[in-house]
Amino acid sequence: MRTALVYHEEMTAARLLWEDPECEIERPERLTAALERLQQGGLEQRCLQLAAREASEAELGLVHSPEYVSLLRGTQALGTEELRALSGQYDAVYFHPNTFHCARLAVGAALQLVDAVLTGAAHNGLALVRPPGHHSQRAAANGFCVFNNVAIAAKHAQQKHGLQRILIVDWDVHHGQGIQYIFEDDPSVLYFSWHRYEHGCFWPYLQESDADAVGLGQGRGFTVNLPWNQVGMGNADYMAAFLHVLLPVAFEFDPELVLVSAGFDSAVGDPEGQMQATPECFAHLTQLLQVLAGGRVCAVLEGGYHLESLSQSVCMVVKALLGDPAPPLSGSMVPRHSALESIQSVRAAQAPHWTSLQQQGPARLLNPSTCSPEGRRPSVSPGGPGFKAAEAQGSAVPRSLLDQLHLYPTPPARTAAALTAQDAALVLPPDVLRPEGSAPQEETRAWARLHEALAQDTAFIALGKVLHLLNGILDGQVSSGIATTPAAAATLEVAIRHGLSHRAQRVLCVAVGQLDRPPDLASDGRNLWLNIRGKEAAALSMFHVSVPLPGTTGGFLSCILALVLPLAYGFQPDLVLVALGPAHGLQDPQAALLAALLRGPAGGRVLVLVEQRKTQREREHKRGVGEGEAGSRRAGSPMRGWIPGLRDHDLGRRQTPNRLSHPGAQHCDFWGPVSRRFFSRADKFLSSAALTEQSSSEKATSQPGQGLEHPRPERGA
Ligand code: X5A
Ligand code: ZN
């Protein structure tokens, strides 16, 4: 499974033929610069390269009126003055004799991308196109846009592939009002857009770009507008928007496909956006989207006018689509006040429509004092000083030791698994390594002296394997790893100490279940211990946070999105250790999701430790087999049915089976003990950041009486 890159050189064949300061930024070099950078970075060659085709007139008719299409067809024969006159009838538009051809290629590229992903030829992909599309309307060109590439792609995905729920994420800095108008009364397409708004004083100056425009009729709640009322929004603001608005709603919506209106005028240096987000941010945004829709993410270029910023951002998206770890984000991870205000206003406007937004807002959860060591990262100053200045600031950000070493930018995006003898027969996905080795005996023995539990035979052997795996991660030989051990608590403590004594500046531990923070671990800011267990939330110290194990899946998602990830991104660890200890209560897909999302803040360096105990294994074995028979032939999303309180019409929609095939299914559609299912899923997530097979996880979550919905009694209780 691959990442598709759709392009055609002829999309550079249209350009502005007269003076027009507003339109001159939309030029052919946008495509050539981005493509050149992809080639230089060796990224184009790693993709499945597809030549764009022209869309048919019937395909254009999915969104546009026949009269408008005819008008555009006619522009091919017009002279410059006639083109100029016609252009003047629209807002911020220019036509060229090649515009019709280019615009049909742009639509065709988006359709080819969607076809590649929905037939399984590709896993995800990017279409590099111009002219852009998101401002274009049924019978009007607007804002450099001629045909609405992404809207047509969504209609096509519904009509040709039978999709029921499509999410469109518009991260261009302008409001894609064209997409909003086309789907505003349609609950099958959820449209999210953030945009420079400045209380209505920024182009296209529309009231319907504000947060209180939520859609019409049946479509109420399926338009989500996040207006930015100040320029200078940066990485922290964009991440907060995803974590506190888009992702809660998107999980609840449960899309079958994610289309991205991928404009990069929202990146630092762009003259239109005047924002501050760095190119790396787009890798993180892409990674976050990859946990939706089984990883079926199709990005289609919209705006982006600073050639350097555009090219770098495009590379970041492609790298993320390819599964490479994302570089750390520079700057403070504290959102700006104005950003939080905008986020709160969308949440308030959308709360009647989404259960996931009906809990507490982000202001409290985002309290920056929780764990970010003071003075460690200079924040990028607001006010849009431009790309050069921001770049200079970026280079002043102290990169962690690991990132100065060879790990970035070419770490292998691979997962390795170290298994106990009991799991040795496990069938793993093909891209998962299975290192044979162990750490040297003396090294293992030295660490094992810390704990009695590690002296025991199987624990000792597991420790050797874990240390070997950890060394592989710290040396950049593999990106992430997963290991079983009969002594999770002790092994975790060793892993922390080993990580901190070998290059890792900061280690984040996410311990789920009955695992205690090692008592004599220094509180020097190098270890943040986050325990998900028990009943009460408590900040025992700045670096020791305890939160209750949520009782519902919705609660679990909120916990990850609103608490775990903001803490993790604020802490900026070099290594994340996830430990599933006794009574962790997580369903496999939940644990896999946790591990996948924690790749983001740690440069992909995640090690998952799973406590393996015989009695528990036997109990889980029975359960796993029973579930397998019931669920192996059902299809759906891993999140389906997880969120309580869905509205009736949602539930109706959700019953339609997902018609997609799951090409990855043969690798993980087996039904051994729970631990095995967990491995298959976590490996998939960790190695490609995507869940390609869904039927098993749906079943796992729809069984009442197990996992989070009804936590198992703790052992010995
Ligand atoms: C696609 C896009 C922007 C139009 C700006 C007009 N259009 N001032 O970014
Ligand atoms: Zn734009």
Side-chain angles (χ1 to χ4, degrees), residues 245-263:
V245 180
L246 174 61
L247 288 177
V249 169
F251 272 113
E252 190 171 342
F253 179 64
D254 184 18
E256 297 157 308
L257 174 69
V258 179
L259 298 175
V260 185
S261 267

Side-chain angles (χ1 to χ4, degrees), residues 215-226:
L216 305 175
Q218 287 278 90
R220 288 174 63 79
F222 297 90
T223 294
V224 179
N225 280 328
L226 172 42

Side-chain angles (χ1 to χ4, degrees), residues 370 515-517 523 528-533 536-547 567:
T370 319
L515 291 165
D516 292 320
R517 183 174 189 270
S523 271
L528 170 59
W529 178 274
L530 184 53
N531 207 169
I532 304 176
R533 70 183 292 181
E536 301 283 299
L540 299 155
S541 84
M542 197 159 105
F543 299 102
H544 185 179
V545 177
S546 184
V547 294
L567 284 174

Side-chain angles (χ1 to χ4, degrees), residues 22 25 92 132-135 142-145 172 174 203 265 272 302-305:
E22 189 175 16
I25 55 176
H134 70 152
H135 299 302
N142 182 278
F144 318 153
C145 301
D172 186 282
H174 301 96
W203 191 91
D265 41 18
E272 279 287 312
E302 299 279 2
Y305 308 102

